[in-house]
């Protein structure tokens, strides 16, 4: 089976390379049959990758430890669902997942848009083939998952942090996001190489970009949920370099999604869009580099490897290729359309973009600076959360405020008097909410208070926009309020889908409380109005681990709230220990009681770390709002397709 897997990867490499060469010749000479052959080669590369992926999954399922990769990331006692998680638990498997998603999405994109690509964007196929060729080369000749050995009696097991239901979904979603950004990049590069940078490539890739952006966003959120429940430190985001690796392309693609709307509406920001789509793709490659190169030490980085130079070199090639291409096509990208007013929706989108890109580059510098300092000075200087939190407040709070102002601003230009009148209602509502928060004792954190006040402003502004739009539709159609609202959203899916995504702000971490105390059986500790009585510890033996839990009876105001368990798991095969927390969610008070069994002593005592985390569950609810808004925005809009088609195709650049 290992020979079949290796052969499949070599075939995938050959077909991807053929797609580059044949596709390039076809695009240069306008040879239709050769172009179709190159496109079919890309589809064939996906089929070969499917075979390789099936071979590796079968090896994990069969616990075939003659595969070195399987032996390193699985064991006989590892439960079945997690045996498949080992597929992406290390370097080689995650690269195979990269190639699998890339060739799959690439094949589907070029097949669904085959007429557009053949007529206008033939260079798209060789660009996609070039990216696939690189990853197929790594898998076939540098870091193959099909190395074999004399089979040991048992495998080394899977990292305990990956033995979690969220880790069955989180990495594939992140890779879908990382790899999905290849599609808009390839179409944009194909458009520039073909001498066309009108809206055709944007229309063709809009939903691919939204898909990648949504997958990255949900993947980041699931990673935060995993960190909250599995890592056992009481938080959900710590500005870890690998966390930032996923955040950066998401921020860049967020800016891109906003910016392309201006190009579609007003034929502006073409240069900016070319830069943003290239930046987002480069950052997705950089995220793969951080995760799989072994260049950083992180709880999220599950492997050490020697492919770092290859990935870094490829990032440099892509960045140089994009830069040269943009400079070459500057005459094509420049337009005569100019910003008419600083008080317009176009300007609001531009301000939004500048803040998002500034935040992205700030995070990038915080991640890269320790690596650069070690390279230049031989000393790694750590950049901690205070750096990131400072810039999040400086750039994030204005960005949050802009979310509320943007929907109220008209295209082209807006009367300052009319804008001021529109802002009165949301401003009053925000001030009332801020005063109420102070009266309730929630004013201890000034950044948190400002953030919540701004969130209230955004919610009021978006609600006002929905009310205005629904009233206008009702007057025009003479329909009921529900029908008018449905018609409004149906005719402006992307716009109102975006509003739904913007509707939730998060700033709860500033108001939490923490307490650490050693308890003997029968003793009680108190935090945030909760009484925790230690009832003793229990030990359970599971097939692949030993569990120890502290039993804590929780009560509030004399009323029993149940018994909760917090402790640790000992994994003998992996030789590691993980935290297993107890969480009680109080929806009425909008807070979590978070319990950690920090230390278990031989005399039966235990050290308990308890936290009260307010409003943290709004983050998980926000994920559903985010997903709903994204689905609304991705829903096909025939009216917009017809509008763009009526604008006609521009004259190709000479």
């Amino acid at each position: 089976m290992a020979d079949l897997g290796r052969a499949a990867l070599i075939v995938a490499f050959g077909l991807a390379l053929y797609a580059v060469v044949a596709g390039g010749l076809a695009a240069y000479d306008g040879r239709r049959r050769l172009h179709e052959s190159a496109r079919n080669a890309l589809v064939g590369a996906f089929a070969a990758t499917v075979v390789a992926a099936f071979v590796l999954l079968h090896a994990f399922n069969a616990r075939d430890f003659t595969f070195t990769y399987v032996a390193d990331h699985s064991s006989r006692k590892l439960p079945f669902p997690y045996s498949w998680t080992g597929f992406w638990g290390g370097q080689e498997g995650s690269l195979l997942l990269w190639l699998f998603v890339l060739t799959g999405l690439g094949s589907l994109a070029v097949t669904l848009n085959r007429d557009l690509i053949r007529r206008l964007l033939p260079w798209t196929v060789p660009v996609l083939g070039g990216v696939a060729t690189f990853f197929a080369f790594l898998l076939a000749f540098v870091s193959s998952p099909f190395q074999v050995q004399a089979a040991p009696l048992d495998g080394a097991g899977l990292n305990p942090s990956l033995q979690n239901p969220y880790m069955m979904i989180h990495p594939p979603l992140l890779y879908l996001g990382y790899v999905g950004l290849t599609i808009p990049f390839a179409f944009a590069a194909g458009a520039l190489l073909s001498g066309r940078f009108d809206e055709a490539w944007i229309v063709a890739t809009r939903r691919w970009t939204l898909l990648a952006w949504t997958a990255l966003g949900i993947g980041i959120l699931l990673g935060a949920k995993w960190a909250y429940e599995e890592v056992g430190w009481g938080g959900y985001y710590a500005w870890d370099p690998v966390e930032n690796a996923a955040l950066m392309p998401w921020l860049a693609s967020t800016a891109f999604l906003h910016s392309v709307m201006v190009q579609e509406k007003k034929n502006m920001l073409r240069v900016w869009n070319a830069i943003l789509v290239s930046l987002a793709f480069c950052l997705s490659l950089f995220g793969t580099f951080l995760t799989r190169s072994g260049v950083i030490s992180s709880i999220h980085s599950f492997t050490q490897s020697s492919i770092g130079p290859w990935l870094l070199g490829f990032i440099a090639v892509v960045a140089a290729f994009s830069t040269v291409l943009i400079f070459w096509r500057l005459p094509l990208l420049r337009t005569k359309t100019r910003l008419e007013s600083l008080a317009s929706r176009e300007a609001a989108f531009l301000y939004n973009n500048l803040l998002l890109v500034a935040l992205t580059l700030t995070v990038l510098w915080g991640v890269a600076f320790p690596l650069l300092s070690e390279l230049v000075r031989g000393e790694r200087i750590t950049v901690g959360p205070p750096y990131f939190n400072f810039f999040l407040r400086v750039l994030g709070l204005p960005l949050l405020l802009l979310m509320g102002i943007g929907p109220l601003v008209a295209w082209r230009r807006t009367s300052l008097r009319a804008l001021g009148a529109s802002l009165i209602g949301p401003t009053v509502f925000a001030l009332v909410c801020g005063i109420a928060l102070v009266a309730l004792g929630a004013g201890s954190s000034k950044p948190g208070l400002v953030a919540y006040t701004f969130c209230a402003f955004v919610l009021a502004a978006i609600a006002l926009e929905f009310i205005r739009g629904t009233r206008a539709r009702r007057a025009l159609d003479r329909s009921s309020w529900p029908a008018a609202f449905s018609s409004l959203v149906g005719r402006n899916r992307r716009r109102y889908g975006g509003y739904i995504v913007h509707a939730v702000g998060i700033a709860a971490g500033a108001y939490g409380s923490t307490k650490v105390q050693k308890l003997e059986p029968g003793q009680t500790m108190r935090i945030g109005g909760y009484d925790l009585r230690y009832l003793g510890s229990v030990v359970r033996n599971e097939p692949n681990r030993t569990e120890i839990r502290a039993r804590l009876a929780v009560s509030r105001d004399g009323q029993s709230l149940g018994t909760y368990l917090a402790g640790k798991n000992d994994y003998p095969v992996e030789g590691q220990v993980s935290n297993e927390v107890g969480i009680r969610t109080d929806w009425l008070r909008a807070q979590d009681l978070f319990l950690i069994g920090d230390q278990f002593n031989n005399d039966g005592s235990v050290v308990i770390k308890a936290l009260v985390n307010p409003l943290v569950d709004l983050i998980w609810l926000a994920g559903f709002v985010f997903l709903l808004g994204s689905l609304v925005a991705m829903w096909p809009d025939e009216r917009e397709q017809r509008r763009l088609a009526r604008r006609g195709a521009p004259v190709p650049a000479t």
Side-chain angles (χ1 to χ4, degrees):
M1 291 291 286
D3 290 337
L4 176 60
R6 283 193 294 269
L9 288 179
I10 293 174
V11 170
F13 169 73
L15 289 172
L17 184 61
Y18 177 81
V20 177
V21 177
L25 289 174
Y28 184 77
D29 290 340
R31 297 160 64 180
R32 177 174 176 176
R33 295 189 63 182
L34 188 60
H35 168 79
E36 293 176 352
S37 175
R39 187 188 68 219
N40 292 336
L42 193 61
V43 177
F46 171 61
T49 307
V50 169
V51 173
F54 174 79
V55 169
L56 189 59
L57 280 176
H58 178 270
F60 270 105
N61 188 52
R63 307 297 203 278
D64 187 350
F65 299 137
T66 59
F67 287 69
T68 304
Y69 184 77
V70 175
D72 289 342
H73 298 91
S74 183
S75 68
R76 298 193 184 281
K77 293 184 178 181
L78 187 66
F80 163 71
Y82 301 129
S83 64
W84 281 23
T85 307
F87 183 102
W88 50 78
Q91 169 195 297
E92 295 87 349
S94 64
L95 289 176
L96 182 55
L97 179 63
W98 227 105
L99 183 64
F100 175 82
V101 177
L102 171 63
T103 53
L105 290 182
S107 299
L108 189 59
V110 298
T111 300
L112 293 177
N113 296 280
R114 54 183 176 273
D115 291 335
L116 173 69
I117 292 174
R118 185 185 68 251
R119 290 185 296 106
L120 304 178
L121 309 173
W123 287 99
T124 302
V125 172
V127 173
L128 282 170
V131 180
T133 298
F134 171 74
F135 283 95
F137 170 80
L138 286 182
L139 284 162
F141 305 109
V142 179
S143 186
S144 173
F146 300 114
Q147 299 294 328
V148 295
Q149 62 180 6
L153 295 177
D154 200 0
L158 183 66
N159 189 306
S161 296
L162 292 174
Q163 297 183 40
N164 180 283
Y166 295 113
M167 278 297 163
M168 300 180 68
I169 309 171
H170 166 65
L173 276 178
L174 286 186
Y175 272 76
L176 180 60
Y178 283 150
V179 181
L181 292 174
T182 310
I183 305 301
F185 170 77
F187 273 77
L192 288 174
L193 288 167
S194 303
R196 313 184 64 98
F197 209 68
D198 51 83
E199 290 75 23
W201 74 275
I202 293 176
V203 175
T205 61
R206 178 188 300 130
R207 288 177 182 83
W208 296 101
T209 309
L210 281 168
L211 175 64
W213 178 75
T214 304
L216 265 180
I218 298 297
I220 292 170
L221 194 66
L222 287 176
K225 182 69 169 173
W226 166 79
Y228 188 65
E229 295 187 0
E230 178 67 24
V231 182
W233 58 284
Y236 50 85
Y237 200 87
W239 297 106
D240 181 278
V242 179
E243 291 174 331
N244 293 334
L247 177 63
M248 289 184 290
W250 185 83
L251 289 172
S253 57
T254 302
F256 173 68
L257 283 170
H258 285 79
S259 188
V260 293
M261 293 176 66
V262 180
Q263 181 174 340
E264 290 182 26
K265 295 279 187 179
K266 300 297 179 181
N267 196 28
M268 297 170 58
L269 304 184
R270 286 184 170 189
V271 177
W272 187 241
N273 287 332
I275 293 172
L276 284 178
V277 73
S278 301
L279 176 64
F281 179 59
C282 288
L283 288 174
S284 73
L285 293 173
F286 186 64
T288 306
F289 167 75
L290 288 178
T291 309
R292 294 307 174 193
S293 67
V295 72
I296 59 171
S297 177
S298 164
I299 190 171
H300 300 79
S301 186
F302 300 115
T303 182
Q304 299 293 321
S305 73
S306 58
I307 66 167
W310 290 97
L311 286 170
L312 199 58
F314 186 63
I315 294 171
V317 168
V318 171
F321 169 75
S322 303
T323 303
V324 170
L325 197 55
I326 291 171
F327 273 103
W328 176 42
R329 290 301 193 184
L330 271 180
L332 167 69
L333 294 173
R334 292 196 179 102
T335 62
K336 295 181 180 180
T337 310
R338 294 291 182 265
L339 193 66
E340 295 185 31
S341 172
L342 295 178
S344 63
R345 186 162 294 184
E346 298 96 313
F349 275 116
L350 182 59
Y351 305 150
N352 170 285
N353 267 230
L354 293 174
L355 288 170
L356 283 169
V357 171
L359 183 57
T360 303
L361 297 179
T362 298
V363 175
L364 176 61
W365 179 249
V367 173
F369 182 74
L371 305 178
L372 294 174
S373 67
E374 185 176 27
L375 179 65
V376 175
R377 302 176 57 184
E379 176 184 1
R380 176 167 296 195
I381 300 175
T382 302
V383 177
Y387 165 86
F388 296 104
N389 289 333
F390 171 78
F391 283 103
L392 180 63
R393 293 166 184 166
V394 171
L395 300 172
L397 290 177
L399 184 62
L400 183 60
L401 184 62
L402 194 60
M403 289 180 186
I405 298 175
L408 303 178
V409 182
W411 292 102
R412 295 187 63 184
R413 62 176 64 248
T414 298
S415 164
L416 294 180
R417 178 177 297 179
L419 177 61
S422 299
L423 296 177
I424 291 175
T427 301
V428 171
F429 178 77
L431 290 175
V432 170
C433 290
I435 294 171
L437 287 170
V438 173
L440 293 172
S444 58
S445 170
K446 291 182 180 179
L449 179 63
V450 172
Y452 279 127
T453 304
F454 282 5
C455 286
F457 176 84
V458 172
L459 289 172
I462 293 174
L464 178 62
E465 178 70 359
F466 272 111
I467 292 171
R468 285 178 172 178
T470 304
R471 184 187 295 123
R473 291 305 312 171
R474 187 168 180 264
L476 184 65
D477 299 339
R478 300 183 181 276
S479 57
S480 64
W481 282 98
F485 178 80
S486 176
S487 174
L488 175 74
V489 175
R491 288 173 175 268
N492 301 274
R493 290 192 179 99
R494 276 199 302 151
R495 178 178 179 182
Y496 291 102
Y499 288 178
I500 294 172
V501 169
H502 288 161
V504 178
I506 302 163
Y511 300 107
S513 56
T514 305
K515 187 175 182 179
V516 180
Q517 187 172 330
K518 180 180 178 181
L519 298 175
E520 303 282 350
Q523 289 185 336
T524 300
M525 66 181 291
R526 185 175 179 81
I527 179 175
Y530 295 98
D531 293 305
L532 316 176
R533 186 160 61 91
Y534 177 43
L535 303 178
S537 301
V538 294
V539 178
R540 294 195 297 259
N541 291 314
E542 297 293 336
N544 67 323
R545 64 185 183 273
T546 299
E547 301 178 350
I548 183 170
R549 300 287 188 272
R551 299 174 61 244
L552 297 161
V554 179
S555 61
R556 186 183 182 99
D557 300 328
Q559 180 182 0
S560 175
L561 301 178
T563 301
Y564 291 83
L565 305 177
K568 299 180 182 296
N569 287 349
D570 181 19
Y571 295 83
V573 174
E574 293 83 356
Q576 298 185 46
V577 176
S578 69
N579 284 323
E580 302 298 325
V581 302
I583 302 175
R584 185 188 188 278
T585 299
D586 188 335
W587 288 104
L588 183 62
R589 292 180 175 84
Q591 63 186 18
D592 278 356
L593 175 64
F594 193 95
L595 305 171
I596 304 170
D598 212 29
Q599 180 180 326
F600 292 82
N601 302 316
N602 294 330
D603 61 1
S605 64
V606 64
V607 176
I608 295 295
K609 183 177 182 180
L611 303 93
V612 175
N613 295 328
L615 302 180
V616 69
D617 292 289
L618 291 182
I619 299 170
W620 323 131
L621 290 177
F624 292 102
V625 178
F626 174 83
L627 181 60
L628 173 62
S630 300
L631 292 176
V632 171
M634 280 190 282
W635 198 266
D637 190 340
E638 294 182 0
R639 293 175 65 254
E640 188 172 20
Q641 296 281 1
R642 290 195 298 268
R643 178 183 62 80
L644 290 172
R646 284 196 299 268
R647 293 175 65 171
V651 178
T654 58

